[in-house]
Amino acid sequence: MRAARSPLDVLAADSRGRGRGPDLGLPPGALITRPGRRLRRAVPLLWVSDAAVGGDCLAGHRGGAPAALGLYPVLLQDRRGLEEWWRLRELYPERMSDPGDHDARQVLREHWSGAVPDPEEGAEGAELIAPFGRDWPGQAAPLIAGQDPEAAAGALARDLVRDGGCLPSPRLALVPAGRGADVLAAIGWGGPANHENDTARIAAVLRSWEDRFGARVVALGFDELHVSVAAPPRTRAEALAVAAEHFAFCPDNVWQGSGSIRAYADEALTGSAHWSFWWD
C-alpha cells in the first residue's frame, strides 16, 4: 500500500530532504523524518530551518501558502546539553492519540485530582490551592479578545526572540497540523511526559484555550511551551479561574514557581498575553 502523502513532501527538494521551498519563501532547512511502517520509507515529521530566525519570521509564515498546504509554523528552541533535541529521537507521534478524542474539561478534572496536595499536608496544602478546595472548580469562562490572536502571536514571538528574551536562537519549524494545539501531538512532543504521557490530552486543553482565550502556540522547547493569549484575564477573579486550569495543566508552574494559585494568578496571569509552561 502506498503511504499517504504528507504536506511536507513539497519541501523534499532532493534525496536528502533538503531545500528552500522557494514558493514558500523559507530559509534553508531540512526535513526531520522517522521510519515508516515496516521501515519501508522515511516519513517526514516536520521541517526545521538550519539556522536561528528573527522574531518576525513566525508571523511572516503564518497563514498564506503554509496554511494552504496544511503546515503550521512554530518556533523551536534548544537548550544546553540538548541541542537540536528534535533530531535526537525525542519525538514519538506513534505514541499519541488524537486530540479530538479527548474532552478538555475531563482532562483538566483528572489532572486537578492528581495535582492537589494530600489532605495530610493540612493548612499548607490548603493554602497552595486556595481559594479552591480539593474538588475540581470547573473551567474558566471565555473572555473577549483584546486583539487578533495571530497579531498577539506575532507580538509575543518578537518579544521572546529579542535580546534578553526566552528564545535566544529559535528555529522556524513547519508541522503538518491544522491548528497550533495539534502541533504537539502531530510531532509526538514529549515535554509534559512526567505529567502526561499522551500529549494529545494536553493538545485538547490547548484547543479549548484557543477557543476561549484566543491562545496560540508560539514556541516549544524540550520541556517548555510558550503560548500567546489574545484575551488574557484582566481581573483577579478571572485570573484565579484560569490559574486553576494552569495548575491542573502544569502543576510545576505553581509547585516550583509562584508557590500558590493566588500568587500565580497575580504574578503570571493578570493582564499577561504570554502563558509559559515547564514540566520538571
Side-chain angles (χ1 to χ4, degrees):
M1 180 182 298
R2 179 177 295 178
R5 287 183 58 82
S6 163
L8 288 167
D9 287 341
V10 71
L11 301 181
D14 57 41
S15 61
R16 293 174 297 165
R18 299 183 64 83
R20 292 181 61 86
D23 292 340
L24 302 184
L26 296 174
L31 293 176
I32 307 299
T33 62
R34 62 182 177 87
R37 284 187 179 178
R38 300 179 183 177
L39 305 180
R40 289 183 177 179
R41 67 183 291 265
V43 177
L45 187 58
L46 71 161
W47 174 94
V48 183
S49 65
D50 289 339
V53 297
D56 290 323
C57 189
L58 186 71
H61 292 93
R62 286 278 174 98
L69 290 170
L71 297 172
Y72 197 92
V74 294
L75 300 176
L76 303 182
Q77 178 63 56
D78 56 17
R79 75 181 193 194
R80 183 173 298 178
L82 285 169
E83 288 79 8
E84 299 190 12
W85 50 264
W86 50 89
R87 295 182 182 274
L88 302 177
R89 298 185 180 180
E90 296 289 351
L91 303 176
Y92 304 97
E94 68 280 359
R95 299 182 183 179
M96 309 304 168
S97 59
D98 187 325
D101 292 339
H102 306 285
D103 179 78
R105 291 168 294 186
Q106 181 63 27
V107 172
L108 288 169
R109 182 182 297 111
E110 292 175 5
H111 283 170
W112 174 271
S113 297
V116 294
D118 292 331
E120 290 78 7
E121 295 191 33
E124 183 177 353
E127 179 59 27
L128 184 139
I129 59 174
F132 308 108
R134 293 184 55 79
D135 292 336
W136 165 236
Q139 278 190 337
L143 299 175
I144 298 174
Q147 62 176 314
D148 176 74
E150 290 303 323
L156 178 61
R158 290 189 289 273
D159 286 344
L160 295 180
V161 174
R162 66 167 49 114
D163 290 347
C166 300
L167 307 178
S169 56
R171 307 289 186 91
L172 176 67
L174 297 180
V175 179
R179 56 196 295 179
D182 292 357
V183 164
L184 282 65
I187 65 174
W189 183 63
N194 291 334
H195 177 58
E196 172 60 69
N197 289 320
D198 185 358
T199 310
R201 286 164 55 83
I202 296 293
V205 176
L206 287 170
R207 281 186 174 189
S208 179
W209 289 349
E210 288 176 344
D211 297 337
R212 288 184 288 140
F213 309 118
R216 296 292 185 269
V217 172
V218 170
L220 296 172
F222 177 73
D223 50 10
E224 296 179 14
L225 170 65
H226 297 277
V227 177
S228 64
V229 189
R234 298 295 179 184
T235 67
R236 195 183 203 204
E238 291 174 346
L240 282 169
V242 175
E245 293 195 29
H246 282 211
F247 179 65
F249 184 79
C250 180
D252 289 329
N253 274 22
V254 174
W255 280 110
Q256 300 189 48
S258 300
S260 73
I261 284 180
R262 279 198 179 101
Y264 180 75
D266 292 340
E267 298 167 2
L269 291 184
T270 304
S272 176
H274 174 205
W275 293 353
S276 62
F277 305 94
W278 166 75
W279 290 268
D280 190 1

